Structure formats: C-alpha cells, structure tokens
Amino acid sequence: ETGVTQTPRHLVMGMTNKKSLKCEQHLGHNAMYWYKQSAKKPLELMFVYNFKEQTENNSVPSRFSPECPNSSHLFLHLHTLQPEDSALYLCASSQDSSGGAGNEQFFGPGTRLTVL
Amino acid sequence: AQSVTQLDSHVSVSEGTPVLLRCNYSSSYSPSLFWYVQHPNKGLQLLLKYTSAATLVKGINGFEAEFKKSETSFHLTKPSAHMSDAAEYFCVVSDRAGFQKLVFGTGTRLLVSP
C-alpha cells in the first residue's frame, strides 16, 4: 500500500453512536492533518499533528477527538455527532508542518460520513 | 489573513479547446500557491505549486499557471482539454514563512464535453 489511505470510505451513523475514522500514511512523513469538506464550502482544516504532537485545533467541537499514536497513524474519534457534521473527511500528511518550499501535503481519498 | 477567490464555480469546455480556471489571492506575506485537483471519490492531487522561483509554473498533465503579483492572480491553464480533465480544481494559498496552513478556495468544477 502506498500514499495515504483512509478507512472506512463510507460511514453512516446515528447521533448517539461512537465511531472512529482511521488514516495511515506510508510516506515516512511526520505531520498529519484532518480536513472537513462540506458541500459548497472550502476545505476546513480541523487538526494538525507534527511529530505526534497536536499543534493546531481549529476551534473544532469536542465531539470530534483526534488521536495520533505514531507518525504513521491518525484517528478521528466521533461521538454524539449532529446531522450538520455530515461531510467528506480528508486526511493528509507532509514531511513536517513547516511552511518550507516543497513541503507538499498528500491527501487520502476521504471518508464520506453521513449522520442521521 | 490569507484568502483565495475562485471566480467561477463551473467552467464548461469542449474537448481539445483551451482551459482557463481563474484564481485571485490575498496574502500578507510572500505566499506559496498551489492548484489541487479532485476526481470523484478520490483524494486531492497536487497539480502544481509556486514557491517564489519561476513565475510560470508547469505541472502534471499539461497544466500550467502564472503567478502575477501585480494582479494577485494565479490562473490555471491548459492548451487543450481532455475528457479525463473533468474534475474539481482547488486554488490554495499558504504562508511560506511560517506554519503550513493551507487556505482553500471553494473550487471550480471543470466539465469537458466531447
């Protein structure tokens, strides 16, 4: 497996469920990101991890809980979500989280989440 | 604060004709600028990037973009569209000096007809 993978690709959950999204990168990167892509809105950065440490929380509600056990894996734990949380959740990775030239972010295919 | 404006939500072209997707940016610092493409059910793929070297940037699949500081623009072009170019395209700006926070435009959907 190469690049950035995400599982599951599709998820339907009720508002009282607890579920987790998984992201894995096979690129040897040290930074990982969660983004939310909603219809008609720009991609929104949610969380950033750099060398396993959370460096950015973009005012995300606490019903979204990220976890980064190592530089290759990133999780997004979900509980008591709302219907407006339905979206495509994208994971990305880069060499690190600095703004240096050439530090490209590589994206996974996303998890399509529907909250009923 | 940085921002990106993609001037067209949809662009329709015929196969074999030129493509122009427009992007204007606003940045307080020397920006890095990117174009990403998203095909249905796929992740975002980097097409090209500008990071202060040559102002005319060539990317994959025949795409190129020109950084024009005086116009604060970074339009994406391709001389001849192919059916496989049909996708959503995102213009992105990043503060080159600091933390790599990408700010995305709302996207332009490119439709290519035979």
Side-chain angles (χ1 to χ4, degrees):
Chain A
E1 193 94 58
T2 58
V4 181
T5 58
Q6 291 187 243
T7 54
R9 294 293 309 275
H10 299 271
L11 178 63
V12 179
M13 60 187 288
M15 288 190 284
T16 58
N17 290 160
K18 288 185 180 182
K19 296 288 184 183
S20 296
L21 310 184
K22 179 183 176 182
C23 175
E24 184 173 1
Q25 59 93 3
H26 309 268
L27 301 168
H29 289 164
N30 298 298
M32 296 189 77
Y33 311 76
W34 278 117
Y35 289 87
K36 177 182 179 182
Q37 186 177 24
S38 304
K40 310 295 185 188
K41 293 175 67 175
L43 260 76
E44 303 169 61
L45 178 67
M46 300 175 72
F47 300 104
V48 181
Y49 279 81
N50 196 39
F51 293 90
K52 301 190 295 178
E53 297 296 320
Q54 186 181 126
T55 57
E56 180 89 0
N57 177 338
N58 199 24
S59 302
V60 180
S62 60
R63 57 186 183 270
F64 295 91
S65 175
E67 179 190 1
C68 188
N70 54 61
S71 292
S72 298
H73 294 85
L74 184 65
F75 295 89
L76 189 62
H77 303 301
L78 316 170
H79 68 98
T80 59
L81 294 193
Q82 305 297 313
E84 60 265 29
D85 296 322
S86 298
L88 182 67
Y89 289 85
L90 291 164
C91 173
S93 71
S94 64
Q95 190 58 49
D96 57 51
S97 63
S98 70
N103 199 3
E104 173 189 345
Q105 288 189 26
F106 291 79
F107 285 80
T111 295
R112 174 70 61 187
L113 174 66
T114 302
V115 181
L116 301 176
Chain B
Q2 301 167 97
S3 66
V4 168
T5 302
Q6 291 185 245
L7 297 156
D8 306 294
S9 59
H10 293 82
V11 170
S12 295
V13 301
S14 298
E15 191 174 22
T17 63
V19 175
L20 170 64
L21 305 184
R22 298 182 294 166
C23 172
N24 286 98
Y25 71 91
S26 172
S27 177
S28 303
Y29 306 97
S30 298
S32 290
L33 290 157
F34 309 80
W35 276 98
Y36 279 85
V37 61
Q38 186 177 32
H39 290 274
N41 301 314
K42 297 285 182 67
L44 280 78
Q45 180 185 19
L46 182 68
L47 273 181
L48 49 79
K49 60 186 177 186
Y50 165 78
T51 54
S52 86
T55 56
L56 182 62
V57 182
K58 294 187 185 298
I60 61 172
N61 301 334
F63 285 93
E64 61 181 42
E66 186 171 7
F67 173 71
K68 292 187 176 181
K69 187 174 181 179
S70 61
E71 299 177 10
T72 59
S73 69
F74 191 58
H75 301 333
L76 182 70
T77 60
K78 183 174 180 177
S80 176
H82 192 273
M83 295 295 291
S84 60
D85 294 328
E88 186 104 23
Y89 292 79
F90 295 92
C91 184
V92 183
V93 65
S94 173
D95 170 12
R96 184 161 14 107
F99 157 63
Q100 191 194 117
K101 182 171 183 176
L102 300 184
V103 176
F104 284 77
T106 50
T108 298
R109 182 162 296 279
L110 177 63
L111 306 168
V112 183
S113 56

